[in-house]
């Protein structure tokens, strides 16, 4: 169980070491991915980073060690879980419901 979400989880993205959950509570939560038997045995996994997003996150995708989000405010954002927001891409006209 990945804990900490207080709203509906709207999308997930996975990279080699992390899982990111886009949540309707306007947070992007990043969790470690289990790799060892000991890690797989843990029943509840807490987020290693919780990024307060300025709008409801509708979609999330991984880009190497970074994550990209699409939201209700028509912006695509690129995030480093340790550093926060790196950049914003504008020009879309509505919710960003899918990313690849």
């Amino acid at each position: 169980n990945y804990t900490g979400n207080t709203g509906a989880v709207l999308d997930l993205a996975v990279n080699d070491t992390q899982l990111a959950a886009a949540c309707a509570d306007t947070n992007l939560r990043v969790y470690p991915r289990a790799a060892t038997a000991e890690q797989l045995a843990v029943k509840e996994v807490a987020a290693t980073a919780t990024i307060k997003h300025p709008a409801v996150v509708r979609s999330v995708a991984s880009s190497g060690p970074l994550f990209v989000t699409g939201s209700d405010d028509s912006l695509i954002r690129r995030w480093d879980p340790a550093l926060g927001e790196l950049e914003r891409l504008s020009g879309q006209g509505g919710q960003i419901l899918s990313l690849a």
Side-chain angles (χ1 to χ4, degrees):
N1 292 323
Y2 292 92
T3 62
N5 294 299
T6 59
V9 175
L10 302 174
D11 201 9
L12 294 171
V14 178
N15 65 25
D16 290 340
T17 60
Q18 299 169 314
L19 178 145
C23 190
D25 66 3
T26 70
N27 286 297
L28 178 68
R29 289 182 177 81
V30 181
Y31 300 90
R33 279 190 59 197
T36 66
E38 293 81 17
Q39 291 171 320
L40 291 170
V42 174
K43 298 299 180 200
E44 291 188 0
V45 179
T48 55
T50 299
I51 300 166
K52 182 67 174 170
H53 205 279
V56 174
V57 181
R58 296 291 177 180
S59 55
V60 62
S62 66
S63 176
L66 306 176
F67 291 99
V68 179
T69 59
S71 62
D72 281 352
D73 64 3
S74 303
L75 294 172
I76 295 172
R77 291 176 172 85
R78 196 164 59 102
W79 301 90
D80 181 315
L83 301 175
E85 184 178 338
L86 298 176
E87 69 179 330
R88 295 178 185 183
L89 304 173
S90 61
Q92 292 68 238
Q95 297 175 335
I96 310 299
L97 301 176
S98 181
L99 294 166

